Amino acid sequence: MPMELARLHAAGIEGVEGYLVTVEVSRAEPVGGTGRTTLVGLPDAAVRESIDRVTTALFASHLRHRPTDHLTINLAPADRRKEGPSFDLAIAVGLATTLTDNAIPGVPADALFSAELGLDGALRPVRGVLSAALAARAAGLTRIVVAPANAQEAAVVDGLAVHAPENLAELARWLRVGLRAAPTTPLLPATAPLSDGPDLAEVRGQEHAKRALAVAAAGGHNLLMIGPPGSGKTMLARRLAGLLPEPTLDEALEVTRVHSIAGLLQGGIGLLRSRPFRSPHHNVSSVGLIGGGSIPRPGEVSLAHHGVLFLDELPEFPRTVLEMLRQPLEDGHLTISRGGGRLRFPSRCMLVAAMNPCPCGYLGHPSRRCTDSRDAVHRYRSRISGPLLDRIDLHLEVPAQRPDVLAQTAPGETTAQVRSRVGAARGRMLARQGCANAALSAGSLRRHVKPSAEALTLLTQAVDELGLSARAFDRILKVSRTIADLDGRDQPGLDDVSEAIGYRVLDRPAG
Ligand SMILES: Nc1ncnc2c1ncn2[C@@H]1O[C@H](COP(=O)(O)OP(=O)(O)OP(=O)(O)O)[C@@H](O)[C@H]1O
Ligand SMILES: [Mg+2]
């Protein structure tokens, strides 16, 4: 009984990591009766449906296979769950190499195949191609075959030739002459990151808030703005995106990978070169915010990785949902358990939030009266737990600006001007310690932040008087390090630490 075996590479995705999957296709003539097709190796429903798609696609591409044969398709390693339609292409090519007539000659062992197939044989884009391409390179492969709409994403990975045929028939022609001689898709030059968002210069007054925005952007610190309705909190937050330093190549790769897995890369995009700014509505579900689902997808906190997660009207978010942010904000990543395993998604983002001081909004307003009872104010504030507040480095009062300030015509500092100072400060951090100040581990914090003796005395006193936690102590040190970096000082001095303490408004006793 003749039997043939084809072996090809594809990729699976776990969390944001790609891993190599070997697709083995074996064909045997049945001893009697009709043939059957068996798919083994923990496939999910979409992978199982792949048999039907692939059979039709092969037929449409004049690559018929005999329905009387016994086919076994094995996805190895067998202990990892295979999800989604991205194995279609490898299975189809595997089947096509074992045909009796019109067979494609052997497949190259140095290529990875990742695409869904349409019934007409067209290659369709899939999620996670960047992760697949990185896995291919890590495994020493040198080429990848993907749908044209995924070609730029794959081309981002250096040292990997990208082949993007329109359909299976075209790929079959290429394989017959050898993939080595087939056309490749080069990486197109990156379009410069756009900075055509709203400009900081449009905000009148609010000098204190603008300063805090620059500090937050430079060091990657979490920020909470508190103020009456219409004082400009949302306006300021929307202008933060333009102040953020450009992502490094590694950061851009990580951001692109998460967006690719969430299916948010629109066709033809290569590398995402600006930092994400995500602003989920307060009715977001916990899965929407944190991630998860039956096929686990990253949530808003991961989509905001290396960028900003903006929660406007913070007290409107259900407390249980906010509580789930504690661990990912602290660790810069989160784990989701699924079946027997655990998946990891990155979540190193800045939390930026805005709220009113009380339900009516006017507590502490210079000219309007607050109509809320003490109890109502207390209930409102207690929707945000102490542990969450403790993770917010900068609490900022954003007061209503006086009419004469709003009427000013003299232009303030522009987004571009502030961004250049922010970029210089971030550059100092990267050169010194390889990460933003907010991301410093406890060990590196002691190594890289050495405030003057008098600054340290002030900090100790403040922590004592305000009853701050050890976490708050570390976070104030990090903020003071950022202030020193922004102003070009070697180490934080008294003024830097004092300014950093000043940003913990909500820790001060009320009254
Ligand atoms: N400092 C300012 N300079 C110029 N315009 C301002 C300023 N503050 C507020 N505005 C104007 O007021 C509008 C409302 O501001 P914004 O939406 O940011 O208020 P908010 O603080 O978020 O209020 P709420 O608490 O109701 O959400 C802005 O779109 C802008 O037109
Ligand atoms: Mg607002």
Side-chain angles (χ1 to χ4, degrees), residues 202-204 206 227-235 313 356 401 406:
E202 293 156 14
V203 183
R204 308 277 170 225
Q206 300 293 16
S231 68
K233 302 179 295 296
T234 302
M235 189 183 189
E313 324 284 353
N356 296 130
Q401 298 295 287
L406 293 177

Side-chain angles (χ1 to χ4, degrees), residues 17-145:
E17 301 291 337
Y19 61 91
L20 224 57
V21 170
T22 306
V23 177
E24 291 172 331
V25 178
S26 82
R27 171 187 296 274
E29 273 175 26
V31 185
T34 51
R36 61 190 153 72
T37 304
T38 324
L39 182 60
V40 293
L42 271 190
D44 79 343
V47 181
R48 263 182 266 118
E49 284 165 10
S50 148
I51 302 285
D52 292 335
R53 277 196 303 275
V54 164
T55 309
T56 318
L58 283 169
F59 191 81
S61 316
H62 307 289
L63 298 159
R64 268 156 248 219
H65 74 93
R66 283 192 318 245
T68 53
D69 286 351
H70 273 329
L71 297 171
T72 307
I73 298 159
N74 179 33
L75 308 175
D79 57 346
R80 298 177 94 163
R81 200 185 306 261
K82 319 298 183 310
E83 286 157 345
S86 70
F87 300 103
D88 283 7
L89 185 61
I91 293 174
V93 174
L95 283 173
T97 57
T98 63
L99 297 174
T100 31
D101 27 70
N102 205 17
I104 291 175
V107 278
D110 61 347
L112 188 144
F113 296 83
S114 183
E116 179 182 344
L117 285 177
L119 297 180
D120 57 354
L123 268 67
R124 294 202 179 143
V126 292
R127 299 166 192 250
V129 160
L130 176 54
S131 302
L134 290 168
R137 186 179 63 183
L141 305 186
T142 51
R143 37 198 86 243
I144 185 165
V145 184

Side-chain angles (χ1 to χ4, degrees), residues 310-383:
F310 176 43
L311 304 184
D312 207 355
E313 324 284 353
L314 186 66
E316 300 297 327
F317 285 79
R319 190 171 158 147
T320 46
V321 171
L322 290 182
E323 289 301 287
M324 295 174 119
L325 283 174
R326 282 160 55 174
Q327 184 262 331
L329 285 180
E330 191 83 351
D331 300 345
H333 65 85
L334 59 98
T335 46
I336 292 174
S337 40
R338 184 199 56 157
R342 291 167 79 72
L343 296 179
R344 191 178 157 118
F345 287 119
S347 61
R348 167 97 32 233
C349 64
M350 284 170 71
L351 173 68
V352 176
M355 65 185 277
N356 296 130
C358 63
C360 83
Y362 293 104
L363 186 68
H365 195 277
S367 54
R368 293 185 63 155
R369 262 196 53 201
C370 170
T371 57
D372 299 312
S373 67
R374 278 178 84 96
D375 262 7
V377 175
H378 180 76
R379 269 199 310 278
Y380 180 77
R381 298 241 179 140
S382 66
R383 290 196 211 160

Side-chain angles (χ1 to χ4, degrees), residues 146-160:
V146 296
N150 283 144
Q152 282 306 307
E153 191 184 332
V156 160
V157 178
D158 255 358
L160 208 56

Side-chain angles (χ1 to χ4, degrees), residues 160-221:
L160 208 56
V162 177
H163 304 283
E166 290 291 337
N167 52 46
L168 205 50
E170 182 169 39
L171 177 58
R173 282 197 296 281
W174 291 358
L175 287 169
R176 288 202 171 94
V177 292
L179 211 43
R180 227 164 254 283
T184 57
T185 309
L187 181 62
L188 298 173
T191 44
L194 319 162
S195 42
D196 57 356
D199 204 282
L200 199 61
E202 293 156 14
V203 183
R204 308 277 170 225
Q206 300 293 16
E207 296 311 325
H208 181 58
K210 289 179 186 169
R211 164 74 172 176
L213 280 189
V215 172
H221 304 290

Side-chain angles (χ1 to χ4, degrees), residues 429-486:
M429 297 174 206
L430 294 181
R432 181 176 62 232
Q433 68 217 13
C435 67
N437 288 340
L440 276 174
S441 66
S444 353
L445 178 71
R446 302 282 172 272
R447 213 167 32 248
H448 295 294
V449 187
K450 297 187 174 121
S452 64
E454 44 176 7
L456 207 53
T457 309
L458 175 70
L459 178 56
T460 325
Q461 275 170 3
V463 164
D464 198 28
E465 276 164 31
L466 302 176
L468 297 181
S469 68
R471 179 190 295 120
F473 182 94
D474 280 1
R475 284 181 174 261
I476 293 173
L477 273 182
K478 290 179 188 179
V479 172
S480 62
R481 173 72 272 185
T482 300
I483 295 168
D485 282 326
L486 258 181

